[in-house]
Amino acid sequence: MQRPITIIQLAALYGPNIYRPQPGVVLRASANADYSERLRSAIKGGALAIGLVIAHLYVTAQPRSDDVLLSAFFTTNEPAIGAELCQYVIDGINAELTGDETWDPDEPLLSLRDRRQAQTLPVAALQLIANARRRDLPATVLPDGRLLLGYGERSWTVTVNDLRAAPGLQPPWSQLGRIPIVAITGERYRSLAVAEQAARYQARAIDHADRATVLAALADPACPALVIGFATDSLLREGLPFDRCDLAVITDHAGPRPPAALDDDEWLKALGLPMLCSTAPALINLTDPALHALLSHAPNGVIGWGGYATGEG
């Protein structure tokens, strides 16, 4: 009997993330042998069986001193279902490795298929999303199942039940749009930058933010602008809750490494993630040498941020 695979990290990434600009799933697990081909085949087969569309699948096996680190990633528009599929796949491989004849491979797979089908948006919602994208408007499915078009004071929400009851329902398109968003990362000086930018934009401020708190603010019709201080661990576990921001500020790379980061390189990538979605030059604390590796990746250039010393950007 062989040692079962142990999951180290399994995350549903709902937006741009450190691996790809699309939603996806990341899986890391510890094993006593290289099961990468079995893992790859099982993920593909499981996705096909439940009707889950996945892309950019890569699976690797990295030998370490006392185990093998298995890593898998793929993109999908249904990351929560994708993460549960990965759990199912690991459970199945472990049943084989341990000789567990009581494990039923069919029932959980059928349950996943049924859940995926139940969560499929009605045609009316898909049409609204397509129309929003043609207008360059953000379209977001909120955790409670509502569809959010636009952001903040320029937003409109509708429930799936309302769309099923009135499939021709249309939002006030001319009133919808984006609000200013400033995304801030860092550890030691992040809160200082949040206060600084909130005053500058006369915006609502959220610090230690995760996906749920950001989406709640973006769905609030009383929110005129939003300054977000991201908890780094949230960026690693959930990805960004939007695909565009007006400004990114990276204050420092200090303190203990976030639990979800495999190494310092992933930590640094998470700090730089909002920079990739910023329409303006990123503000970066150039006195922190650890941040210099991000400079060449800023799509719109970099401006030095000195708020840590002066209280001004």
Side-chain angles (χ1 to χ4, degrees), residues 32-291:
N32 64 349
D34 180 354
Y35 299 114
S36 57
E37 287 303 318
R38 187 182 300 187
L39 183 59
R40 179 183 292 106
S41 176
I43 291 174
K44 283 184 177 180
L48 182 63
I50 66 174
L52 179 69
V53 177
I54 69 173
H56 304 107
L57 171 65
Y58 68 83
V59 181
T60 61
Q62 177 185 346
R64 303 193 293 189
S65 58
D66 57 354
D67 69 352
V68 175
L69 177 66
L70 299 174
S71 299
F73 177 81
F74 56 86
T75 60
T76 177
N77 287 330
E78 301 177 84
I81 295 293
E84 292 195 44
L85 173 64
C86 286
Q87 179 69 65
Y88 164 83
V89 165
I90 294 297
D91 290 345
I93 295 175
N94 280 341
E96 294 179 22
L97 295 177
T98 60
D100 181 3
E101 297 181 357
T102 67
W103 187 76
D104 180 2
D106 298 324
E107 192 280 330
L109 199 62
L110 291 173
S111 177
L112 262 183
R113 185 195 64 185
D114 292 344
R115 285 186 52 211
R116 192 204 64 77
Q117 292 175 344
Q119 293 175 14
T120 300
L121 293 173
V123 172
L126 297 176
Q127 290 174 335
L128 287 179
I129 291 172
N131 287 336
R133 288 175 177 166
R134 279 197 294 269
R135 292 170 164 86
D136 193 29
L137 295 172
T140 311
V141 178
L142 298 172
D144 62 7
R146 289 180 299 156
L147 176 61
L148 168 69
L149 302 181
Y151 287 151
E153 63 182 14
R154 302 193 64 194
S155 70
W156 181 78
T157 57
V158 64
T159 68
V160 170
N161 287 337
D162 286 342
L163 287 175
R164 289 195 173 108
L169 188 63
Q170 292 293 311
W173 290 111
S174 63
Q175 300 174 31
L176 303 186
R178 299 175 184 266
I179 60 172
I181 297 175
V182 178
I184 301 171
T185 60
E187 313 297 342
R188 182 180 304 165
Y189 302 118
R190 185 186 66 227
S191 296
L192 177 64
V194 168
E196 165 199 304
Q197 295 298 326
R200 177 168 296 171
Y201 279 83
Q202 296 184 336
R204 179 178 302 182
I206 309 173
D207 201 5
H208 305 284
D210 59 12
R211 176 174 179 267
T213 56
V214 173
L215 290 181
L218 291 176
D220 183 352
C223 183
L226 188 60
V227 173
I228 308 159
F230 276 105
T232 312
D233 212 50
S234 171
L235 293 175
L236 290 158
R237 290 183 294 103
E238 303 175 301
L240 280 171
F242 49 75
D243 62 357
R244 187 187 307 174
C245 62
D246 296 83
L247 178 66
V249 184
I250 308 172
T251 66
D252 61 273
H253 182 274
R257 182 195 302 164
L262 180 67
D263 50 33
D264 284 349
D265 182 58
E266 287 197 353
W267 180 12
L268 185 62
K269 287 179 179 178
L271 293 175
L273 183 57
M275 170 187 75
L276 303 179
C277 297
S278 174
T279 59
L283 300 183
I284 298 181
N285 177 6
L286 300 178
T287 68
D288 188 335
L291 300 179

Side-chain angles (χ1 to χ4, degrees), residues 283-304:
L283 300 183
I284 298 181
N285 177 6
L286 300 178
T287 68
D288 188 335
L291 300 179
H292 290 183
L294 296 174
L295 302 183
S296 61
H297 300 286
N300 294 304
V302 168
I303 296 174

